[in-house]
Amino acid sequence: MSDGAATGAVSSGALISLRGISRHYAAGDALVRALDEVTLEIQAGEFVAIMGQSGSGKTTLMNILGCLDRPTAGNYSIHGEEITTLDRDGRARLRSRTFGFIYQRYNLLESATAQENVELPAIYAGLAKGERGAKAAALLDKLGLGERLGNRPSALSGGQQQRVAVARALVNDPAIVLADEPTGALDSKSGAEVMELLRQLNAEGRTVIVITHDEKVAGHARRQIHISDGKIIKDTGCDTQGAASGSKLPREEVGEGGPVDEMQEAVKMAVRALRVNKFRTILTLLGIIIGVASVVAMLAIGDGSKQKVLDQITAMGTNILMIRPGAPGVRPSSSISTLTSDDATAIAELPNVRAVVPERSGSYTVRYGQIDASVSVNGTNHQMSLVNDWDVVEGSGLTEMDVKRMAPVAVIGQTVKKNFFPNGENPIGKTLLVKNIPFEIIGVLEGKGASPMGSDRDNVVFVPLTTGTVRLFGRSYLSGITAQAVDMAKIEQTEKEITALLMERHKTEDFAVRNSASFIQMATDTQNTLKVLLGAVAAISLLVGGIGVMNIMLVSVTERTREIGVRMATGACTRDILLQFVTEAVVVCVTGGLVGVALGVGIALGANALGTRAILSLPPILMAFTCAVSTGLLFGYLPARKAAHMDPVTALASE
Ligand code: ADP
Ligand code: MG
């Protein structure tokens, strides 16, 4: 398959075959021909030096050989496989299993130890953890760095760093080693050592291509290719004597490593990268922590205040209907005389009504012995305790018989007991004078505390409505009727029925019916609004935290462009880089989320201890945590994508 190329003998069995490869750069209006129709074949097992002056196109050629860059025109095949058509990840995989790179400036990851640096290409090649660790250690040991496995690059000399780089280039056992001015930054002794290493690699059967502008360095190689202005101007020709027999050939593509291992490695690297910039990481974390903690604490406090209000309302009875005299909207007053006992009796006949309590109240001076006080005296019936959920704790309550017979008996509240019997005497059987009319105390009610309006509900005396009407109130109109529904769910229906019934009896709407369910609904709505508001404020702070994460990730990607280039050169594909940076963002957010949840729970517990009710429940905590993690994913994705789609050559060339 001879195509009459200008240089060397062309045979189809070549390891590397370039045909008419050009690489042009647009520099403003001018076109820079960094490579100009280069045709070149390299056999397996060769040791080639590419020489030329600075700017002649050596690095460009190397980048194309190493599949880091794509030619503008021409064909390139490795071991017969055309590779100019490969996509990004195809090239990454090819790099990973075929090439080992060595650079003038070593390009080691500063935050990783020597051993970890060497392991890097093996991670991307999918080698198991134990295996690659051992392999890296063995390689470093062989290169005389057995004592230096745990050292970071900054603790190594230039020569040592370059040997770490050589070990890294070898860890995937590549068929081809590419070295771009590997001795350029080294003193002559270290440089000679590195060249000797390369010679050994070639002797082991690897194809070695080394770029240099140093004649002495080039002297180690068995073939010299000179380039100038992007063209090959001299080629000493193929010479594979002594190494050709056992020459390594590129490996076939092998399976990827397990995803668990890959994740583990990504997390480890993320934690390390975050540690490098501790202060910055802490500030970013703080954003997430504050966001999550405020969501957790705010929602707990919101729930607490809602529950408190609900409890207060429920204490008033939830299946209760209140009928007041006076048209709806008119302020109830004792002078409005529209409701009667007969109305109450009629309401009691309705379905879904369990109990009806007519009530007439007035304020009277009550006297016992030498003591007198102003007390609210309420005429009521035997169902008062049941409907108002107000138990008798001493003696007994009013009976149906008491009501029927207009018995002069009274049940007193705790304040009345305290005021009239301050020395702890038993009030049962004693006689109170209300408007000078004697009432025998038959029972004492439990303490009820202050009403929502602040009045003392325990400063009260209950007497049978019948007795009260005749002896005290004089008139038979009621100050209200309280009805208790059987089925809470039908309370709206019952309210309608009561309204209809009273309309029929009164012919005009001179009464108002209210049910506490609608009141509860209103209070719940208000509290929910409050909760949503608190939640929104908290969510905004979480969002701000997320933007902080994104900001820091963008900076991180920019700062670590070179690292990204190194990772790509060592075989990382788009997904690996994406995973790497997304993992960093997620690690920040998961850590921030956990600390934030702990802080939020702490704040809620603290609030409880200080008397502000807060209810912690799992859903808001899970929600806040999930939000934090998705914030990480969401805001980490864009910078990670940016990193993953960088051009390896540009990334490597960055400062
Ligand atoms: P060498 O490695 O031999 O010093 P290079 O291969 O780096 O040379 O560069 C060859 C030519 O291509 C130089 O003239 C250089 O300015 C140009 N060149 C290299 N990379 C770029 C680029 N990204 N954009 C524009 N011109 C470039
Ligand atoms: Mg160069």
Side-chain angles (χ1 to χ4, degrees):
M1 245 189 85
S2 171
D3 62 357
T7 50
V10 173
S11 89
S12 55
L15 176 61
I16 286 174
S17 165
L18 303 181
R19 310 242 162 115
I21 290 283
S22 295
R23 179 66 167 101
H24 298 166
Y25 292 107
D29 289 341
L31 190 71
V32 178
R33 294 174 199 274
L35 282 182
D36 197 5
E37 304 230 357
V38 169
T39 296
L40 171 67
E41 292 213 336
I42 295 173
Q43 306 297 323
E46 280 198 79
F47 189 175
V48 183
I50 295 173
M51 304 178 67
Q53 288 184 333
S54 186
S56 54
K58 303 183 297 292
T59 299
T60 308
L61 177 60
M62 168 76 99
N63 287 337
I64 285 176
L65 284 174
C67 299
L68 286 165
D69 197 8
R70 308 179 84 165
T72 314
N75 291 78
Y76 175 19
S77 61
I78 294 181
H79 200 47
E81 185 193 351
E82 179 63 42
I83 55 152
T84 38
T85 51
L86 287 179
D87 65 0
R88 258 184 103 83
D89 286 343
R91 277 177 283 145
R93 281 195 298 273
L94 181 74
R95 279 199 295 278
S96 167
R97 64 191 153 96
T98 311
F99 296 103
F101 293 89
I102 302 166
Y103 303 92
Q104 178 175 359
R105 286 187 296 167
Y106 330 126
N107 278 342
L108 300 176
L109 301 188
E110 285 303 323
S111 59
T113 64
Q115 185 175 9
E116 286 161 346
N117 263 294
V118 175
E119 280 184 49
L120 191 64
I123 294 173
Y124 295 131
L127 208 63
K129 193 179 168 71
E131 207 178 328
R132 64 172 187 253
K135 209 164 168 184
L139 271 168
L140 283 167
D141 197 41
K142 199 173 138 199
L143 297 180
L145 291 170
E147 312 277 291
R148 300 291 195 158
L149 299 183
N151 285 45
R152 296 192 197 282
S154 54
L156 298 173
S157 73
Q160 287 171 328
Q161 289 190 55
Q162 194 61 300
R163 274 183 280 158
V164 173
V166 171
R168 180 179 64 188
L170 294 179
V171 74
N172 280 345
D173 197 20
I176 305 167
V177 173
L178 298 173
D180 190 349
E181 312 228 15
T183 60
L186 299 176
D187 59 273
S188 54
K189 184 170 166 281
S190 308
E193 280 171 12
V194 168
M195 283 317 291
E196 174 53 24
L197 270 174
L198 291 179
R199 202 197 53 73
Q200 280 174 22
L201 297 182
N202 177 242
E204 285 166 13
R206 286 177 228 272
T207 306
V208 176
I209 303 173
V210 52
I211 289 180
T212 182
H213 53 247
D214 183 339
E215 288 288 345
K216 229 173 81 197
V217 171
H220 290 264
R222 281 179 282 123
R223 175 179 178 186
Q224 280 89 25
I225 296 171
H226 291 258
I227 68 173
S228 174
D229 290 334
K231 288 188 200 300
I232 293 179
I233 51 165
K234 186 179 158 206
D235 186 348
T236 60
C238 174
D239 170 15
T240 56
Q241 281 171 17
S245 54
S247 298
K248 269 188 185 299
L249 292 173
R251 267 173 294 135
E252 293 304 309
E253 197 153 351
V254 285
E256 294 273 306
V260 176
D261 194 40
E262 217 172 315
M263 269 313 296
Q264 220 179 352
E265 216 40 58
V267 169
K268 198 172 121 190
M269 286 195 258
V271 170
R272 182 182 305 137
L274 293 169
R275 271 216 211 117
V276 170
N277 259 309
K278 275 203 195 73
F279 189 59
R280 196 163 78 185
T281 306
I282 288 170
L283 285 182
T284 316
L285 270 176
L286 211 57
I288 295 292
I289 291 172
I290 291 172
V292 171
S294 57
V295 169
V296 171
M298 292 289 191
L299 292 185
I301 289 170
D303 266 345
S305 95
K306 176 175 158 184
Q307 197 52 50
K308 195 172 156 190
V309 171
L310 279 184
D311 285 355
Q312 280 174 349
I313 295 167
T314 323
M316 292 158 57
T318 52
N319 53 349
I320 297 298
L321 285 154
M322 284 156 290
I323 302 115
R324 293 283 171 266
V330 173
R331 213 167 138 259
S333 107
S334 55
S335 57
I336 302 172
S337 338
T338 55
L339 290 178
T340 64
S341 290
D342 291 343
D343 288 335
T345 315
I347 290 168
E349 302 296 317
L350 289 174
N352 196 35
V353 172
R354 174 182 292 146
V356 172
V357 179
E359 199 171 88
R360 165 86 208 184
S361 62
S363 194
Y364 295 96
T365 301
V366 174
R367 173 182 296 245
Y368 174 75
Q370 298 302 310
I371 309 166
D372 54 29
S374 176
V375 177
S376 168
V377 178
N378 291 357
T380 186
N381 71 6
H382 58 286
Q383 287 176 318
M384 190 285 297
S385 278
L386 171 74
V387 170
N388 290 350
D389 188 23
W390 201 347
D391 290 338
V392 173
V393 288
E394 288 173 56
S396 58
L398 299 175
T399 63
E400 207 172 349
M401 202 54 94
D402 292 333
V403 178
K404 256 192 194 142
R405 293 195 178 159
M406 290 192 241
V409 292
V411 177
I412 62 172
Q414 286 292 330
T415 305
V416 174
K417 180 189 171 188
K418 204 175 73 208
N419 286 346
F420 290 99
F421 306 95
N423 303 321
E425 311 129 72
N426 184 5
I428 308 294
K430 303 285 178 349
T431 302
L432 283 182
L433 292 177
V434 182
K435 259 173 82 179
N436 283 327
I437 296 153
F439 283 87
E440 185 195 343
I441 299 173
I442 57 166
V444 180
L445 292 161
E446 65 181 337
K448 196 85 167 168
S451 77
M453 275 65 103
S455 61
D456 179 7
R457 280 182 291 182
D458 295 321
N459 189 22
V460 70
V461 171
F462 286 98
V463 299
L465 178 65
T466 46
T467 324
T469 305
V470 171
R471 303 263 183 115
L472 301 172
F473 313 126
R475 295 190 304 169
S476 58
Y477 291 109
L478 302 176
S479 34
I481 300 171
T482 308
Q484 187 185 39
V486 177
D487 184 354
M488 171 80 187
K490 291 190 198 144
I491 199 152
E492 303 284 340
Q493 172 66 21
T494 309
E495 185 178 332
K496 284 201 189 88
E497 285 169 8
I498 291 175
T499 308
L501 175 76
L502 290 181
M503 277 302 284
E504 196 191 301
R505 291 173 62 88
H506 294 198
K507 309 295 177 210
T508 163
E509 197 172 4
D510 54 2
F511 59 91
V513 185
R514 281 190 303 152
N515 77 60
S516 55
S518 63
F519 188 44
I520 289 176
Q521 190 56 48
M522 196 183 74
T524 311
D525 286 351
T526 314
Q527 290 301 316
N528 278 341
T529 313
L530 182 74
K531 196 174 146 183
V532 166
L533 226 95
L534 288 174
V537 169
I540 288 170
S541 62
L542 193 56
L543 186 76
V544 171
I547 293 171
V549 170
M550 173 130 124
N551 189 17
I552 230 59
M553 291 313 296
L554 281 170
V555 172
S556 175
V557 166
T558 312
E559 276 180 357
R560 288 156 65 197
T561 306
R562 209 174 154 81
E563 174 191 325
I564 294 164
V566 172
R567 288 179 186 278
M568 284 173 171
T570 52
C573 55
T574 318
R575 206 182 53 126
D576 294 318
I577 303 287
L578 199 65
L579 182 73
Q580 177 67 47
F581 281 88
V582 168
T583 306
E584 274 177 40
V586 170
V587 165
V588 170
C589 290
V590 167
T591 314
L594 289 175
V595 177
V597 165
L599 186 66
V601 168
I603 291 174
L605 294 179
N608 260 336
L610 293 175
T612 305
R613 189 147 160 204
I615 299 176
L616 283 165
S617 52
L618 203 55
I621 292 179
L622 286 181
M623 189 195 77
F625 187 71
T626 314
C627 276
V629 177
S630 10
T631 303
L633 279 172
L634 192 73
F635 288 95
Y637 179 74
L638 281 177
R641 217 182 88 99
K642 183 183 163 195
H645 288 273
M646 275 181 184
D647 176 44
V649 174
T650 331
L652 268 173
S654 84
E655 282 311 310

